Amino acid sequence: MSDQFEDEDSAVQDFLNVLEEHRKNCEAEGKYVEAEIARNRLEELRLHEENRRREAMRSRQIAERLGVEEAHMLEFQQFNKVWDEKMQLYEENAGNLMSNLKARQKGDLQEFQEKLISKPLLPKFSKELLNLRKIQKHLARQKDYAEAHKMKLKADSLEGWELEKQQNQRQQQMFKKEAAYKHKQQQERKALKKRIESGRLSQKRQRQNDLERLLQRYQNVKQELEQQQNLERIRAEKFFKRMFRRK
C-alpha cells in the first residue's frame, strides 16, 4: 500500500531527495561530471531501495500466509481433538448401555427360568385312567383284592405313562417360552444396537459437516488474504514507479 511505503524509512527518502537536489544543482552549475555521478548514484540507491522494499513486502506476505496456515493447523488439530474425545465418550456410553442391558437381561432370564421351573405340574389324567382307578377302588371295596391289584398295576402303568407324557409336554412348553423370551431380549438388544449405530452415523455426519465448514472458512480466509496481498502488490508497483523511476 502506498501510504505504508511512504511512511517507511523516511531518512532514506530524505537522502534521495537531497541527492536529487544536488544533481539538479550540479546540472545548473555546469558540473556535468558530478551531475552524472549523482545521477548514477541516485539510480543505484533507488533500485536498491525498491528491491529492498519489494523483498520486505514479499517476506511479510509469506509470513502472513504462514500465519494463516499455522492458525488453520492449530484449529484443525483442536477440531480433531474435540471430536475424537466426543466420539470416544459416545462409544463409552454406548458400551455401558449395552453392558447394562445384557446384565439386566441375564437377571431377567434367570428369574423367568426360575418361575417356569417352580411352577408345579398339575397333571390332568385321561378318562381311561380315572375309570381304571374307579374300578380299582370298587374291586377293593368288594374285597376282590387280586383283581383290584391287577387293576392297580394297569392304572399305575398308565398313570406313569401319562405323567411322563405331560412332563415332556411341559418341558417342551418351557423350552418354547424360554426361546420366545430369549428372542424378545435379542430384539431388544438389536433395537439398542440400531439406535447406537444411528447415533454413531449421526455423529460422523455432524463431524464431516463441521469439518467442511472449517475447511471452507479456511479457504475463504486464504482467498481473502490472497486478494489483499495482490492488491497490495499492485499498489506497491504503482508506488515504486512513481517514487523510484522518475526521470
Side-chain angles (χ1 to χ4, degrees), residues 48-65:
H48 177 270
E49 182 64 10
E50 179 182 343
N51 290 336
R52 186 190 69 80
R53 294 193 181 194
R54 183 179 285 109
E55 181 61 27
M57 179 183 66
R58 190 182 73 85
S59 298
R60 178 171 46 76
Q61 289 187 343
I62 290 175
E64 289 174 349
R65 292 195 296 271

Side-chain angles (χ1 to χ4, degrees), residues 4-194:
Q4 180 179 347
F5 284 108
E6 288 171 354
D7 292 337
E8 290 180 350
D9 302 329
S10 59
V12 174
Q13 189 61 49
D14 290 343
F15 178 73
L16 292 175
N17 292 337
V18 171
L19 192 57
E20 173 65 15
E21 188 66 23
H22 174 67
R23 183 193 66 78
K24 290 180 179 179
N25 291 335
C26 289
E27 179 182 325
E29 295 173 2
K31 299 178 180 179
Y32 301 124
V33 174
E34 292 183 18
E36 177 67 16
I37 293 174
R39 185 179 68 82
N40 291 337
R41 181 57 176 161
L42 269 172
E43 290 301 320
E44 291 176 1
L45 290 176
R46 285 171 177 165
L47 181 60
H48 177 270
E49 182 64 10
E50 179 182 343
N51 290 336
R52 186 190 69 80
R53 294 193 181 194
R54 183 179 285 109
E55 181 61 27
M57 179 183 66
R58 190 182 73 85
S59 298
R60 178 171 46 76
Q61 289 187 343
I62 290 175
E64 289 174 349
R65 292 195 296 271
L66 290 176
V68 170
E69 294 287 343
E70 182 179 359
H72 171 67
M73 288 305 300
L74 290 175
E75 186 179 15
F76 183 68
Q77 291 173 0
Q78 182 64 20
F79 171 88
N80 283 329
K81 180 176 181 294
V82 169
W83 265 105
D84 288 345
E85 291 175 353
K86 184 183 296 186
M87 297 186 76
Q88 181 181 358
L89 181 61
Y90 179 84
E91 294 301 329
E92 290 175 357
N93 291 336
N96 290 334
L97 286 175
M98 184 58 69
S99 297
N100 292 338
L101 175 62
K102 288 181 178 179
R104 177 177 62 79
Q105 287 186 340
K106 182 178 180 181
D108 291 346
L109 178 60
Q110 184 176 357
E111 183 180 352
F112 180 79
Q113 291 170 333
E114 290 174 353
K115 286 182 179 180
L116 286 178
I117 295 173
S118 63
K119 188 176 181 180
L121 174 63
L122 301 176
K124 297 178 67 175
F125 296 118
S126 66
K127 291 182 179 181
E128 180 183 1
L129 176 58
L130 294 175
N131 187 52
L132 289 176
R133 291 301 185 191
K134 186 176 181 181
I135 295 172
Q136 170 193 328
K137 291 180 180 180
H138 177 74
L139 290 172
R141 285 195 295 270
Q142 295 295 321
K143 305 298 190 292
D144 191 353
Y145 297 123
E147 289 300 321
H149 178 68
K150 291 180 182 179
M151 193 59 62
K152 181 179 182 302
L153 292 177
K154 185 177 180 180
D156 287 348
S157 177
L158 181 58
E159 181 178 330
W161 179 83
E162 289 188 2
L163 284 174
E164 183 179 359
K165 180 181 178 181
Q166 291 181 38
Q167 185 64 36
N168 290 336
Q169 290 175 343
R170 178 174 181 265
Q171 192 69 38
Q172 291 300 320
Q173 290 176 353
M174 289 172 59
F175 287 154
K176 288 182 180 180
K177 289 180 179 179
E178 182 176 330
Y181 193 83
K182 287 181 177 179
H183 178 72
K184 179 182 177 182
Q185 289 187 327
Q186 184 182 35
Q187 294 302 111
E188 188 178 9
R189 291 194 300 272
K190 284 184 178 180
L192 178 58
K193 287 181 180 179
K194 187 175 181 180

